[in-house]
Amino acid sequence: MRVGITGHRGLSRDVEQQVRRLLEGAVCELDAAELVGVSCIADGPDAWFAEAVLRHGGALEVVVPTEQYREGLPESHWPVYDELTRRAAQVQHTGKAASDSDAHMVGSEILVGLAEELFAVWDGKPAWGYGGTADVVSYAERNGVPVRVLWPEGATRE
């Protein structure tokens, strides 16, 4: 089972804890021997999902949206990013150079193309910018990839 992830970054600590529990529960429902998690491993749900997949005994496949992607992430996340990349069974590159919205969406489109299901840490609202979670969910739905929304009841984004 190949499962991709998309989700909101910059969540509050309380929402983060709830989302981590939802992701852990969803991953644990899957057969570890068959599980391949597909993630761009940005800070937030992408990385939390990847960590849960590895803890559960699944394999990780990483999609790197741009050559400059890591540098566009918070510096505090770099050690996690590097460790998850090192532990990945496979790493896909888009060939894009600049870390911009278009390249990030291309990365998400590749991710969706590799997945049989998409987990979406999504509040159900429109994206704040092109390539956001809502855009990825819409792309998955248009391409016949089932989407499982994992969002804590009553939670909000700041």
Side-chain angles (χ1 to χ4, degrees):
M1 180 68 175
R2 299 176 63 78
V3 180
I5 182 71
T6 188
H8 301 308
R9 297 168 57 199
L11 301 174
S12 71
R13 184 70 181 139
D14 178 55
V15 174
E16 173 185 340
Q17 290 173 345
Q18 294 176 68
V19 167
R20 282 179 180 267
R21 283 192 296 271
L22 289 171
L23 286 168
E24 194 74 37
V27 166
C28 286
E29 291 174 7
L30 303 172
D31 180 357
E34 302 291 324
L35 176 59
V36 177
V38 186
S39 176
C40 294
I41 58 174
D43 53 303
D46 286 14
W48 307 333
F49 168 76
E51 291 166 339
V53 165
L54 292 171
R55 268 193 309 277
H56 186 55
L60 175 62
E61 187 166 339
V62 170
V63 177
V64 180
T66 76
E67 292 174 23
Q68 301 170 1
Y69 183 65
R70 178 184 181 270
E71 290 72 22
L73 298 172
E75 190 172 341
S76 62
H77 180 64
W78 292 359
V80 173
Y81 181 88
D82 294 344
E83 176 65 13
L84 290 171
T85 301
R86 185 187 66 72
R87 294 183 65 194
Q90 193 167 12
V91 179
Q92 306 271 348
H93 295 269
T94 66
K96 300 283 186 182
S99 190
D100 58 21
S101 296
D102 289 329
H104 294 175
M105 189 63 193
V106 168
S108 293
E109 290 170 357
I110 290 170
L111 181 147
V112 168
L114 294 169
E116 297 169 61
E117 182 178 9
L118 180 70
F119 287 178
V121 177
W122 180 44
D123 63 2
K125 296 180 181 172
W128 288 356
Y130 178 67
T133 303
D135 294 333
V136 179
V137 167
S138 178
Y139 180 83
E141 289 172 340
R142 285 193 315 272
N143 286 277
V145 176
V147 176
R148 181 172 174 183
V149 176
L150 301 169
W151 187 252
E153 189 173 329
T156 58
R157 284 195 287 166
E158 297 177 5

PDB file of all heavy atoms in Angstrom, residues 26-64:
ATOM      1  N   ALA A  26      -3.637   6.157  11.978  1.00  0.00           N
ATOM      2  CA  ALA A  26      -3.908   5.802  10.581  1.00  0.00           C
ATOM      3  C   ALA A  26      -2.823   4.894  10.018  1.00  0.00           C
ATOM      4  O   ALA A  26      -3.115   3.919   9.312  1.00  0.00           O
ATOM      5  CB  ALA A  26      -4.044   7.068   9.739  1.00  0.00           C
ATOM      6  N   VAL A  27      -1.578   5.183  10.335  1.00  0.00           N
ATOM      7  CA  VAL A  27      -0.468   4.358   9.849  1.00  0.00           C
ATOM      8  C   VAL A  27      -0.532   2.960  10.467  1.00  0.00           C
ATOM      9  O   VAL A  27      -0.311   1.959   9.774  1.00  0.00           O
ATOM     10  CB  VAL A  27       0.891   5.050  10.143  1.00  0.00           C
ATOM     11  CG1 VAL A  27       2.058   4.085   9.962  1.00  0.00           C
ATOM     12  CG2 VAL A  27       1.062   6.274   9.243  1.00  0.00           C
ATOM     13  N   CYS A  28      -0.858   2.878  11.740  1.00  0.00           N
ATOM     14  CA  CYS A  28      -0.900   1.582  12.426  1.00  0.00           C
ATOM     15  C   CYS A  28      -2.024   0.684  11.914  1.00  0.00           C
ATOM     16  O   CYS A  28      -1.989  -0.528  12.137  1.00  0.00           O
ATOM     17  CB  CYS A  28      -0.992   1.777  13.935  1.00  0.00           C
ATOM     18  SG  CYS A  28       0.574   2.313  14.651  1.00  0.00           S
ATOM     19  N   GLU A  29      -2.999   1.245  11.225  1.00  0.00           N
ATOM     20  CA  GLU A  29      -4.076   0.441  10.625  1.00  0.00           C
ATOM     21  C   GLU A  29      -3.593  -0.306   9.384  1.00  0.00           C
ATOM     22  O   GLU A  29      -4.268  -1.214   8.905  1.00  0.00           O
ATOM     23  CB  GLU A  29      -5.246   1.335  10.223  1.00  0.00           C
ATOM     24  CG  GLU A  29      -5.997   1.939  11.381  1.00  0.00           C
ATOM     25  CD  GLU A  29      -7.053   2.943  10.915  1.00  0.00           C
ATOM     26  OE1 GLU A  29      -7.287   3.075   9.691  1.00  0.00           O
ATOM     27  OE2 GLU A  29      -7.643   3.596  11.782  1.00  0.00           O
ATOM     28  N   LEU A  30      -2.440   0.073   8.848  1.00  0.00           N
ATOM     29  CA  LEU A  30      -1.928  -0.495   7.602  1.00  0.00           C
ATOM     30  C   LEU A  30      -0.923  -1.607   7.885  1.00  0.00           C
ATOM     31  O   LEU A  30      -0.227  -1.593   8.893  1.00  0.00           O
ATOM     32  CB  LEU A  30      -1.280   0.608   6.767  1.00  0.00           C
ATOM     33  CG  LEU A  30      -2.194   1.800   6.441  1.00  0.00           C
ATOM     34  CD1 LEU A  30      -1.406   2.914   5.789  1.00  0.00           C
ATOM     35  CD2 LEU A  30      -3.345   1.357   5.563  1.00  0.00           C
ATOM     36  N   ASP A  31      -0.817  -2.539   6.960  1.00  0.00           N
ATOM     37  CA  ASP A  31       0.121  -3.653   7.074  1.00  0.00           C
ATOM     38  C   ASP A  31       1.535  -3.126   6.827  1.00  0.00           C
ATOM     39  O   ASP A  31       1.857  -2.681   5.725  1.00  0.00           O
ATOM     40  CB  ASP A  31      -0.244  -4.725   6.054  1.00  0.00           C
ATOM     41  CG  ASP A  31       0.672  -5.923   6.077  1.00  0.00           C
ATOM     42  OD1 ASP A  31       1.654  -5.937   6.855  1.00  0.00           O
ATOM     43  OD2 ASP A  31       0.410  -6.863   5.304  1.00  0.00           O
ATOM     44  N   ALA A  32       2.366  -3.184   7.856  1.00  0.00           N
ATOM     45  CA  ALA A  32       3.728  -2.644   7.763  1.00  0.00           C
ATOM     46  C   ALA A  32       4.527  -3.289   6.641  1.00  0.00           C
ATOM     47  O   ALA A  32       5.324  -2.626   5.974  1.00  0.00           O
ATOM     48  CB  ALA A  32       4.456  -2.822   9.098  1.00  0.00           C
ATOM     49  N   ALA A  33       4.313  -4.574   6.406  1.00  0.00           N
ATOM     50  CA  ALA A  33       5.072  -5.282   5.374  1.00  0.00           C
ATOM     51  C   ALA A  33       4.757  -4.767   3.969  1.00  0.00           C
ATOM     52  O   ALA A  33       5.582  -4.892   3.061  1.00  0.00           O
ATOM     53  CB  ALA A  33       4.798  -6.781   5.456  1.00  0.00           C
ATOM     54  N   GLU A  34       3.578  -4.177   3.803  1.00  0.00           N
ATOM     55  CA  GLU A  34       3.146  -3.684   2.493  1.00  0.00           C
ATOM     56  C   GLU A  34       3.209  -2.161   2.378  1.00  0.00           C
ATOM     57  O   GLU A  34       2.974  -1.617   1.309  1.00  0.00           O
ATOM     58  CB  GLU A  34       1.703  -4.129   2.230  1.00  0.00           C
ATOM     59  CG  GLU A  34       1.504  -5.625   2.263  1.00  0.00           C
ATOM     60  CD  GLU A  34       2.171  -6.328   1.100  1.00  0.00           C
ATOM     61  OE1 GLU A  34       2.196  -5.763  -0.008  1.00  0.00           O
ATOM     62  OE2 GLU A  34       2.688  -7.438   1.312  1.00  0.00           O
ATOM     63  N   LEU A  35       3.517  -1.476   3.464  1.00  0.00           N
ATOM     64  CA  LEU A  35       3.403  -0.024   3.521  1.00  0.00           C
ATOM     65  C   LEU A  35       4.627   0.693   2.956  1.00  0.00           C
ATOM     66  O   LEU A  35       5.755   0.443   3.378  1.00  0.00           O
ATOM     67  CB  LEU A  35       3.176   0.435   4.962  1.00  0.00           C
ATOM     68  CG  LEU A  35       3.126   1.942   5.216  1.00  0.00           C
ATOM     69  CD1 LEU A  35       2.015   2.613   4.406  1.00  0.00           C
ATOM     70  CD2 LEU A  35       2.964   2.219   6.704  1.00  0.00           C
ATOM     71  N   VAL A  36       4.366   1.602   2.019  1.00  0.00           N
ATOM     72  CA  VAL A  36       5.369   2.546   1.545  1.00  0.00           C
ATOM     73  C   VAL A  36       4.764   3.933   1.730  1.00  0.00           C
ATOM     74  O   VAL A  36       3.747   4.259   1.125  1.00  0.00           O
ATOM     75  CB  VAL A  36       5.737   2.327   0.059  1.00  0.00           C
ATOM     76  CG1 VAL A  36       6.740   3.386  -0.405  1.00  0.00           C
ATOM     77  CG2 VAL A  36       6.285   0.926  -0.163  1.00  0.00           C
ATOM     78  N   GLY A  37       5.367   4.727   2.597  1.00  0.00           N
ATOM     79  CA  GLY A  37       4.937   6.103   2.797  1.00  0.00           C
ATOM     80  C   GLY A  37       5.679   6.993   1.824  1.00  0.00           C
ATOM     81  O   GLY A  37       6.896   6.872   1.675  1.00  0.00           O
ATOM     82  N   VAL A  38       4.943   7.884   1.164  1.00  0.00           N
ATOM     83  CA  VAL A  38       5.539   8.792   0.187  1.00  0.00           C
ATOM     84  C   VAL A  38       5.379  10.207   0.713  1.00  0.00           C
ATOM     85  O   VAL A  38       4.265  10.656   0.988  1.00  0.00           O
ATOM     86  CB  VAL A  38       4.871   8.658  -1.200  1.00  0.00           C
ATOM     87  CG1 VAL A  38       5.596   9.501  -2.227  1.00  0.00           C
ATOM     88  CG2 VAL A  38       4.820   7.193  -1.646  1.00  0.00           C
ATOM     89  N   SER A  39       6.507  10.918   0.863  1.00  0.00           N
ATOM     90  CA  SER A  39       6.477  12.227   1.509  1.00  0.00           C
ATOM     91  C   SER A  39       7.550  13.142   0.948  1.00  0.00           C
ATOM     92  O   SER A  39       8.625  12.689   0.565  1.00  0.00           O
ATOM     93  CB  SER A  39       6.701  12.057   3.018  1.00  0.00           C
ATOM     94  OG  SER A  39       6.763  13.299   3.672  1.00  0.00           O
ATOM     95  N   CYS A  40       7.253  14.445   0.960  1.00  0.00           N
ATOM     96  CA  CYS A  40       8.260  15.462   0.640  1.00  0.00           C
ATOM     97  C   CYS A  40       9.049  15.847   1.894  1.00  0.00           C
ATOM     98  O   CYS A  40       9.979  16.639   1.822  1.00  0.00           O
ATOM     99  CB  CYS A  40       7.612  16.696   0.013  1.00  0.00           C
ATOM    100  SG  CYS A  40       6.878  16.400  -1.610  1.00  0.00           S
ATOM    101  N   ILE A  41       8.676  15.309   3.025  1.00  0.00           N
ATOM    102  CA  ILE A  41       9.285  15.463   4.345  1.00  0.00           C
ATOM    103  C   ILE A  41       9.567  16.903   4.781  1.00  0.00           C
ATOM    104  O   ILE A  41      10.539  17.183   5.476  1.00  0.00           O
ATOM    105  CB  ILE A  41      10.516  14.545   4.570  1.00  0.00           C
ATOM    106  CG1 ILE A  41      11.622  14.763   3.555  1.00  0.00           C
ATOM    107  CG2 ILE A  41      10.085  13.103   4.633  1.00  0.00           C
ATOM    108  CD1 ILE A  41      12.902  13.962   3.865  1.00  0.00           C
ATOM    109  N   ALA A  42       8.666  17.808   4.418  1.00  0.00           N
ATOM    110  CA  ALA A  42       8.725  19.166   4.971  1.00  0.00           C
ATOM    111  C   ALA A  42       8.453  19.078   6.467  1.00  0.00           C
ATOM    112  O   ALA A  42       7.966  18.059   6.970  1.00  0.00           O
ATOM    113  CB  ALA A  42       7.679  20.060   4.312  1.00  0.00           C
ATOM    114  N   ASP A  43       8.767  20.159   7.185  1.00  0.00           N
ATOM    115  CA  ASP A  43       8.450  20.218   8.602  1.00  0.00           C
ATOM    116  C   ASP A  43       6.930  20.123   8.763  1.00  0.00           C
ATOM    117  O   ASP A  43       6.181  20.588   7.924  1.00  0.00           O
ATOM    118  CB  ASP A  43       8.985  21.524   9.213  1.00  0.00           C
ATOM    119  CG  ASP A  43       8.528  22.760   8.458  1.00  0.00           C
ATOM    120  OD1 ASP A  43       8.796  22.854   7.237  1.00  0.00           O
ATOM    121  OD2 ASP A  43       7.892  23.639   9.076  1.00  0.00           O
ATOM    122  N   GLY A  44       6.510  19.469   9.816  1.00  0.00           N
ATOM    123  CA  GLY A  44       5.084  19.300  10.061  1.00  0.00           C
ATOM    124  C   GLY A  44       4.601  17.927   9.656  1.00  0.00           C
ATOM    125  O   GLY A  44       5.330  16.933   9.777  1.00  0.00           O
ATOM    126  N   PRO A  45       3.354  17.830   9.173  1.00  0.00           N
ATOM    127  CA  PRO A  45       2.744  16.527   8.882  1.00  0.00           C
ATOM    128  C   PRO A  45       3.550  15.632   7.948  1.00  0.00           C
ATOM    129  O   PRO A  45       3.548  14.411   8.126  1.00  0.00           O
ATOM    130  CB  PRO A  45       1.391  16.899   8.257  1.00  0.00           C
ATOM    131  CG  PRO A  45       1.056  18.213   8.885  1.00  0.00           C
ATOM    132  CD  PRO A  45       2.383  18.926   9.010  1.00  0.00           C
ATOM    133  N   ASP A  46       4.250  16.206   6.979  1.00  0.00           N
ATOM    134  CA  ASP A  46       5.061  15.383   6.073  1.00  0.00           C
ATOM    135  C   ASP A  46       6.077  14.558   6.857  1.00  0.00           C
ATOM    136  O   ASP A  46       6.222  13.350   6.655  1.00  0.00           O
ATOM    137  CB  ASP A  46       5.822  16.249   5.076  1.00  0.00           C
ATOM    138  CG  ASP A  46       4.977  16.839   3.972  1.00  0.00           C
ATOM    139  OD1 ASP A  46       3.738  16.822   4.072  1.00  0.00           O
ATOM    140  OD2 ASP A  46       5.572  17.351   3.003  1.00  0.00           O
ATOM    141  N   ALA A  47       6.806  15.227   7.745  1.00  0.00           N
ATOM    142  CA  ALA A  47       7.840  14.549   8.526  1.00  0.00           C
ATOM    143  C   ALA A  47       7.218  13.647   9.588  1.00  0.00           C
ATOM    144  O   ALA A  47       7.705  12.531   9.818  1.00  0.00           O
ATOM    145  CB  ALA A  47       8.774  15.570   9.171  1.00  0.00           C
ATOM    146  N   TRP A  48       6.145  14.102  10.256  1.00  0.00           N
ATOM    147  CA  TRP A  48       5.506  13.285  11.292  1.00  0.00           C
ATOM    148  C   TRP A  48       4.998  11.975  10.707  1.00  0.00           C
ATOM    149  O   TRP A  48       5.126  10.924  11.313  1.00  0.00           O
ATOM    150  CB  TRP A  48       4.368  14.043  11.963  1.00  0.00           C
ATOM    151  CG  TRP A  48       4.746  15.384  12.499  1.00  0.00           C
ATOM    152  CD1 TRP A  48       5.987  15.797  12.925  1.00  0.00           C
ATOM    153  CD2 TRP A  48       3.885  16.505  12.662  1.00  0.00           C
ATOM    154  NE1 TRP A  48       5.936  17.101  13.335  1.00  0.00           N
ATOM    155  CE2 TRP A  48       4.658  17.566  13.190  1.00  0.00           C
ATOM    156  CE3 TRP A  48       2.533  16.721  12.415  1.00  0.00           C
ATOM    157  CZ2 TRP A  48       4.122  18.820  13.469  1.00  0.00           C
ATOM    158  CZ3 TRP A  48       1.995  17.969  12.693  1.00  0.00           C
ATOM    159  CH2 TRP A  48       2.783  18.998  13.219  1.00  0.00           C
ATOM    160  N   PHE A  49       4.418  12.056   9.514  1.00  0.00           N
ATOM    161  CA  PHE A  49       3.942  10.860   8.812  1.00  0.00           C
ATOM    162  C   PHE A  49       5.110   9.933   8.493  1.00  0.00           C
ATOM    163  O   PHE A  49       5.045   8.725   8.739  1.00  0.00           O
ATOM    164  CB  PHE A  49       3.204  11.280   7.537  1.00  0.00           C
ATOM    165  CG  PHE A  49       2.903  10.155   6.589  1.00  0.00           C
ATOM    166  CD1 PHE A  49       1.875   9.265   6.846  1.00  0.00           C
ATOM    167  CD2 PHE A  49       3.640   9.994   5.427  1.00  0.00           C
ATOM    168  CE1 PHE A  49       1.581   8.226   5.965  1.00  0.00           C
ATOM    169  CE2 PHE A  49       3.358   8.967   4.538  1.00  0.00           C
ATOM    170  CZ  PHE A  49       2.327   8.084   4.807  1.00  0.00           C
ATOM    171  N   ALA A  50       6.184  10.491   7.927  1.00  0.00           N
ATOM    172  CA  ALA A  50       7.352   9.683   7.566  1.00  0.00           C
ATOM    173  C   ALA A  50       7.914   8.969   8.790  1.00  0.00           C
ATOM    174  O   ALA A  50       8.247   7.775   8.731  1.00  0.00           O
ATOM    175  CB  ALA A  50       8.416  10.567   6.918  1.00  0.00           C
ATOM    176  N   GLU A  51       7.995   9.675   9.904  1.00  0.00           N
ATOM    177  CA  GLU A  51       8.486   9.069  11.138  1.00  0.00           C
ATOM    178  C   GLU A  51       7.566   7.939  11.599  1.00  0.00           C
ATOM    179  O   GLU A  51       8.042   6.877  12.025  1.00  0.00           O
ATOM    180  CB  GLU A  51       8.626  10.133  12.225  1.00  0.00           C
ATOM    181  CG  GLU A  51       9.740  11.127  11.951  1.00  0.00           C
ATOM    182  CD  GLU A  51       9.681  12.375  12.823  1.00  0.00           C
ATOM    183  OE1 GLU A  51       8.598  12.699  13.369  1.00  0.00           O
ATOM    184  OE2 GLU A  51      10.730  13.029  12.946  1.00  0.00           O
ATOM    185  N   ALA A  52       6.258   8.156  11.506  1.00  0.00           N
ATOM    186  CA  ALA A  52       5.292   7.121  11.910  1.00  0.00           C
ATOM    187  C   ALA A  52       5.413   5.887  11.025  1.00  0.00           C
ATOM    188  O   ALA A  52       5.360   4.751  11.518  1.00  0.00           O
ATOM    189  CB  ALA A  52       3.873   7.681  11.881  1.00  0.00           C
ATOM    190  N   VAL A  53       5.579   6.089   9.728  1.00  0.00           N
ATOM    191  CA  VAL A  53       5.736   4.967   8.795  1.00  0.00           C
ATOM    192  C   VAL A  53       6.966   4.146   9.172  1.00  0.00           C
ATOM    193  O   VAL A  53       6.904   2.906   9.248  1.00  0.00           O
ATOM    194  CB  VAL A  53       5.840   5.476   7.338  1.00  0.00           C
ATOM    195  CG1 VAL A  53       6.352   4.397   6.401  1.00  0.00           C
ATOM    196  CG2 VAL A  53       4.496   6.007   6.857  1.00  0.00           C
ATOM    197  N   LEU A  54       8.076   4.814   9.409  1.00  0.00           N
ATOM    198  CA  LEU A  54       9.307   4.098   9.757  1.00  0.00           C
ATOM    199  C   LEU A  54       9.181   3.390  11.104  1.00  0.00           C
ATOM    200  O   LEU A  54       9.627   2.244  11.248  1.00  0.00           O
ATOM    201  CB  LEU A  54      10.494   5.056   9.748  1.00  0.00           C
ATOM    202  CG  LEU A  54      10.871   5.593   8.363  1.00  0.00           C
ATOM    203  CD1 LEU A  54      11.907   6.703   8.481  1.00  0.00           C
ATOM    204  CD2 LEU A  54      11.368   4.474   7.451  1.00  0.00           C
ATOM    205  N   ARG A  55       8.568   4.040  12.090  1.00  0.00           N
ATOM    206  CA  ARG A  55       8.362   3.400  13.395  1.00  0.00           C
ATOM    207  C   ARG A  55       7.511   2.134  13.258  1.00  0.00           C
ATOM    208  O   ARG A  55       7.716   1.147  13.951  1.00  0.00           O
ATOM    209  CB  ARG A  55       7.669   4.352  14.376  1.00  0.00           C
ATOM    210  CG  ARG A  55       8.591   5.167  15.221  1.00  0.00           C
ATOM    211  CD  ARG A  55       7.879   5.859  16.376  1.00  0.00           C
ATOM    212  NE  ARG A  55       6.708   6.620  16.018  1.00  0.00           N
ATOM    213  CZ  ARG A  55       6.725   7.877  15.562  1.00  0.00           C
ATOM    214  NH1 ARG A  55       7.859   8.514  15.404  1.00  0.00           N
ATOM    215  NH2 ARG A  55       5.596   8.492  15.266  1.00  0.00           N
ATOM    216  N   HIS A  56       6.544   2.183  12.356  1.00  0.00           N
ATOM    217  CA  HIS A  56       5.619   1.063  12.148  1.00  0.00           C
ATOM    218  C   HIS A  56       6.269  -0.072  11.352  1.00  0.00           C
ATOM    219  O   HIS A  56       5.708  -1.169  11.267  1.00  0.00           O
ATOM    220  CB  HIS A  56       4.367   1.588  11.442  1.00  0.00           C
ATOM    221  CG  HIS A  56       3.266   0.606  11.267  1.00  0.00           C
ATOM    222  ND1 HIS A  56       2.707  -0.103  12.320  1.00  0.00           N
ATOM    223  CD2 HIS A  56       2.602   0.190  10.158  1.00  0.00           C
ATOM    224  CE1 HIS A  56       1.750  -0.897  11.856  1.00  0.00           C
ATOM    225  NE2 HIS A  56       1.678  -0.743  10.552  1.00  0.00           N
ATOM    226  N   GLY A  57       7.435   0.177  10.771  1.00  0.00           N
ATOM    227  CA  GLY A  57       8.125  -0.852  10.010  1.00  0.00           C
ATOM    228  C   GLY A  57       7.916  -0.771   8.516  1.00  0.00           C
ATOM    229  O   GLY A  57       8.335  -1.664   7.773  1.00  0.00           O
ATOM    230  N   GLY A  58       7.276   0.304   8.058  1.00  0.00           N
ATOM    231  CA  GLY A  58       7.087   0.507   6.634  1.00  0.00           C
ATOM    232  C   GLY A  58       8.319   1.111   5.988  1.00  0.00           C
ATOM    233  O   GLY A  58       9.301   1.441   6.664  1.00  0.00           O
ATOM    234  N   ALA A  59       8.263   1.273   4.684  1.00  0.00           N
ATOM    235  CA  ALA A  59       9.348   1.890   3.926  1.00  0.00           C
ATOM    236  C   ALA A  59       8.966   3.330   3.603  1.00  0.00           C
ATOM    237  O   ALA A  59       7.788   3.672   3.518  1.00  0.00           O
ATOM    238  CB  ALA A  59       9.603   1.116   2.635  1.00  0.00           C
ATOM    239  N   LEU A  60       9.976   4.154   3.402  1.00  0.00           N
ATOM    240  CA  LEU A  60       9.763   5.560   3.087  1.00  0.00           C
ATOM    241  C   LEU A  60      10.321   5.877   1.712  1.00  0.00           C
ATOM    242  O   LEU A  60      11.441   5.491   1.383  1.00  0.00           O
ATOM    243  CB  LEU A  60      10.462   6.439   4.137  1.00  0.00           C
ATOM    244  CG  LEU A  60      10.437   7.949   3.903  1.00  0.00           C
ATOM    245  CD1 LEU A  60       9.007   8.484   3.913  1.00  0.00           C
ATOM    246  CD2 LEU A  60      11.292   8.651   4.964  1.00  0.00           C
ATOM    247  N   GLU A  61       9.523   6.566   0.921  1.00  0.00           N
ATOM    248  CA  GLU A  61       9.964   7.101  -0.361  1.00  0.00           C
ATOM    249  C   GLU A  61       9.835   8.612  -0.285  1.00  0.00           C
ATOM    250  O   GLU A  61       8.788   9.125   0.093  1.00  0.00           O
ATOM    251  CB  GLU A  61       9.123   6.545  -1.503  1.00  0.00           C
ATOM    252  CG  GLU A  61       9.633   6.935  -2.870  1.00  0.00           C
ATOM    253  CD  GLU A  61       9.009   6.134  -3.995  1.00  0.00           C
ATOM    254  OE1 GLU A  61       8.494   5.027  -3.739  1.00  0.00           O
ATOM    255  OE2 GLU A  61       9.032   6.639  -5.127  1.00  0.00           O
ATOM    256  N   VAL A  62      10.903   9.317  -0.629  1.00  0.00           N
ATOM    257  CA  VAL A  62      10.930  10.774  -0.520  1.00  0.00           C
ATOM    258  C   VAL A  62      10.869  11.393  -1.907  1.00  0.00           C
ATOM    259  O   VAL A  62      11.551  10.940  -2.838  1.00  0.00           O
ATOM    260  CB  VAL A  62      12.211  11.232   0.221  1.00  0.00           C
ATOM    261  CG1 VAL A  62      12.380  12.738   0.143  1.00  0.00           C
ATOM    262  CG2 VAL A  62      12.172  10.769   1.671  1.00  0.00           C
ATOM    263  N   VAL A  63      10.056  12.440  -2.033  1.00  0.00           N
ATOM    264  CA  VAL A  63      10.011  13.256  -3.247  1.00  0.00           C
ATOM    265  C   VAL A  63      10.623  14.606  -2.893  1.00  0.00           C
ATOM    266  O   VAL A  63      10.161  15.286  -1.979  1.00  0.00           O
ATOM    267  CB  VAL A  63       8.572  13.440  -3.765  1.00  0.00           C
ATOM    268  CG1 VAL A  63       8.558  14.367  -4.984  1.00  0.00           C
ATOM    269  CG2 VAL A  63       7.940  12.094  -4.097  1.00  0.00           C
ATOM    270  N   VAL A  64      11.678  14.982  -3.605  1.00  0.00           N
ATOM    271  CA  VAL A  64      12.360  16.262  -3.391  1.00  0.00           C
ATOM    272  C   VAL A  64      11.897  17.216  -4.492  1.00  0.00           C
ATOM    273  O   VAL A  64      12.270  17.034  -5.654  1.00  0.00           O
ATOM    274  CB  VAL A  64      13.897  16.093  -3.416  1.00  0.00           C
ATOM    275  CG1 VAL A  64      14.586  17.429  -3.180  1.00  0.00           C
ATOM    276  CG2 VAL A  64      14.338  15.059  -2.389  1.00  0.00           C
TER     277      VAL A  64
END
